[in-house]
Amino acid sequence: MRIGVVCVIKESWGGSEELWAAMAHEAIASGHEIIVSAYDCGNIHPKMQALIEKGVTLIYRRGYVKPNIPAWKRILNKASVILLNRLNNPFKKFIDSRLDLTLYNGTSYSCIEDLQLFNALISRKINYDYLSHIAADYYRPVGLAEVPVIANIFKNARTNYFVADRTIKITERQIGSTIPNKTIVRNPVNLKNINRVIYPSIHSQINFATVGLLVAAHKGQDMLFEVLSADNWKKRNWHLNIYGSGVDENFLKQLAIFYNIQDRVTFHGKVNDVRDIWQKNHLLLMTSLMEGMPLAVVEAMLCGRPCLVTDVGDHTAWIQDKQEGFIADAPSPPSIAKTLENAWQNQNSWQEMGLNAHNKALLLYDSKPGKTFLNFLVSKHN
């Protein structure tokens, strides 16, 4: 079976790539072929390189424009891409690869940017599956004219996969129609050892951790900074450790200075060993404006850490307030401030909540998600 995978992220790798990559490893081992369409964002990520070495074919398509260049140059480059794409379908080489199935790996709305792909797949009657990792909980990012187009793409998909049940509900609400043939799948975790990490002492400094992309419009780190800049927090002994990278890294560093908390915040960049994060940190803070079901939360729970999260995505399917962590009703500074204060007053329960979180995650996570996903794809094909 020749399976095509379309990646939509405009960076070399991200959490959204973990599931299809795990599936690809299983597929190659089972004798299937994998052809990947991705943007050329510069250096090949080690995880992509490992797939190529196993036999995955990578086909680059144009469309990536470097974010850190002058505005006038970005505008010219984007205009050039638009013109070239109108003259020649950027997916042509990928579609001509005699695919049995195409897996589109994106968000609930990213398909609107890739209509040349879907028009070609539908016209050529090439089977495709849609995998959505996220939808925007609190705003509607699509216009009225785009709604029937997106609904039709879901309708024509062989199967529509989602990593969170709430993402299905949000997407259906925002396009005003039922999504057919929908199935929930789990993302893999970046842990070889799922035993709990010993809980650090809470009798000295409290260490908070945020883990994930440094994109404030997604992960809401800017709201967290505002909350932690309040007078009551300046009097307390805490430190915020930030793990990850992204386009807002410099902005967030400047924002920490603006709020005068730069001495309380450390940017660690990406960390390969998740368990190292939880050797010294007590509580995960995930103040997101939107999510599917983030790996960082699942991994923290498996490591035995309580999580303070906003009520977005499937957070509440994994975490009950004051059981496995704390739930902020909304992704807003007042709600986050109230929830963080509540958490601080209940420090003595954090270790027990971490145990609850570990046990809950063991029940919900998939130990072999790549194999599960491949079995879905192959069984549907047969």
Side-chain angles (χ1 to χ4, degrees):
M1 186 173 173
R2 291 171 64 84
I3 304 172
V5 178
V6 176
C7 304
V8 304
I9 62 168
K10 294 182 179 178
E11 54 186 309
S12 60
W13 199 261
S16 60
E17 311 311 291
E18 297 290 344
L19 180 54
W20 77 255
M23 177 278 296
H25 281 290
E26 295 285 349
I28 294 293
S30 299
H32 301 287
E33 295 182 65
I34 301 291
I35 299 94
V36 176
S37 172
Y39 292 113
D40 184 357
C41 302
N43 296 331
I44 296 178
H45 191 276
K47 291 186 177 183
M48 181 67 84
Q49 185 60 44
L51 287 166
I52 292 171
E53 290 172 1
K54 283 197 172 184
V56 167
T57 299
L58 174 60
I59 299 174
Y60 283 131
R61 69 182 186 274
R62 63 179 166 271
Y64 175 73
V65 177
K66 291 181 180 179
N68 55 348
I69 59 175
W72 66 268
K73 189 174 287 188
R74 280 180 57 80
I75 292 170
L76 286 177
N77 288 350
K78 286 183 177 180
S80 175
V81 167
I82 292 170
L83 178 60
L84 289 171
N85 284 351
R86 286 183 177 178
L87 294 173
N88 183 30
N89 190 335
F91 293 98
K92 184 179 187 307
K93 186 176 179 181
F94 173 76
I95 295 168
D96 288 343
S97 299
R98 296 181 292 107
L99 303 170
D100 296 306
L101 169 69
T102 292
L103 173 67
Y104 183 78
N105 186 70
T107 74
S108 290
Y109 327 106
S110 56
C111 57
I112 207 70
E113 299 179 7
D114 294 317
L115 294 183
Q116 287 176 293
L117 168 70
F118 289 99
N119 289 338
L121 292 174
I122 293 170
S123 66
R124 294 194 188 190
K125 297 183 179 179
I126 298 173
N127 288 328
Y128 68 87
D129 285 1
Y130 199 120
L131 172 56
S132 174
H133 290 269
I134 196 168
D137 293 64
Y138 290 97
Y139 73 99
R140 187 167 174 266
V142 292
L144 186 62
E146 296 168 328
V147 166
V149 178
I150 295 172
N152 189 60
I153 287 171
F154 283 123
K155 179 182 176 181
N156 280 283
R158 192 188 59 162
T159 307
N160 293 295
Y161 296 100
F162 295 84
V163 299
D165 183 65
R166 185 159 169 179
T167 304
I168 298 174
K169 293 181 174 65
I170 293 167
T171 307
E172 289 184 331
R173 183 185 78 223
Q174 292 180 341
I175 65 173
S177 63
T178 299
I179 296 172
N181 305 319
K182 52 204 172 195
T183 300
I184 297 292
V185 288
R186 301 291 192 202
N187 271 316
V189 295
N190 296 307
L191 292 168
K192 294 181 180 178
N193 180 352
I194 58 170
N195 294 326
R196 284 183 296 140
V197 177
I198 294 173
Y199 201 83
S201 170
I202 61 171
H203 298 299
S204 55
Q205 177 178 275
I206 295 298
N207 288 316
F208 301 129
T210 71
V211 185
L213 282 174
L214 302 187
V215 179
H218 178 185
K219 298 293 185 179
Q221 296 99 337
D222 54 337
M223 295 187 294
L224 177 60
F225 283 16
E226 179 183 340
V227 170
L228 290 173
S229 71
D231 289 342
N232 60 319
W233 286 102
K234 289 180 178 177
K235 300 173 184 177
R236 294 167 172 170
N237 190 12
W238 58 268
H239 196 87
L240 175 63
N241 293 299
I242 298 180
Y243 303 90
S245 62
V247 295
D248 283 341
E249 182 171 349
N250 289 335
F251 162 69
L252 290 170
K253 287 178 178 178
Q254 184 60 42
L255 194 63
I257 296 171
F258 172 76
Y259 282 124
N260 197 27
I261 58 172
Q262 66 271 26
D263 294 335
R264 302 282 201 104
V265 178
T266 300
F267 290 81
H268 296 271
K270 290 183 178 180
V271 176
N272 291 326
D273 190 343
V274 173
R275 294 177 67 83
D276 279 351
I277 294 173
W278 297 112
Q279 295 287 347
K280 68 175 182 179
N281 288 293
H282 301 89
L283 178 70
L284 174 72
L285 304 181
M286 184 70 77
T287 55
S288 310
L289 286 89
M290 64 182 92
E291 289 292 354
M293 187 56 218
L295 294 177
V297 171
V298 180
E299 290 164 355
M301 293 176 71
L302 286 170
C303 288
R305 296 297 178 270
C307 304
L308 186 154
V309 300
T310 45
D311 185 9
V312 297
D314 262 10
H315 280 160
T316 56
W318 290 68
I319 298 167
Q320 297 178 79
D321 193 45
K322 297 188 181 67
Q323 294 297 315
E324 296 86 16
F326 302 90
I327 306 291
D329 290 337
S332 67
S335 181
I336 294 166
K338 179 180 177 181
T339 308
L340 190 55
E341 180 65 29
N342 188 13
W344 185 266
Q345 299 301 330
N346 286 277
Q347 290 176 39
N348 291 336
S349 300
W350 288 3
Q351 187 168 355
E352 182 181 355
M353 288 183 183
L355 175 59
N356 294 341
H358 174 75
N359 292 334
K360 183 72 167 288
L362 285 177
L363 291 174
L364 294 179
Y365 97 114
D366 186 339
S367 62
K368 295 181 179 179
K371 187 172 184 179
T372 300
F373 196 26
L374 177 63
N375 288 339
F376 274 131
L377 298 177
V378 172
S379 64
K380 297 278 187 179
H381 180 70
N382 295 334

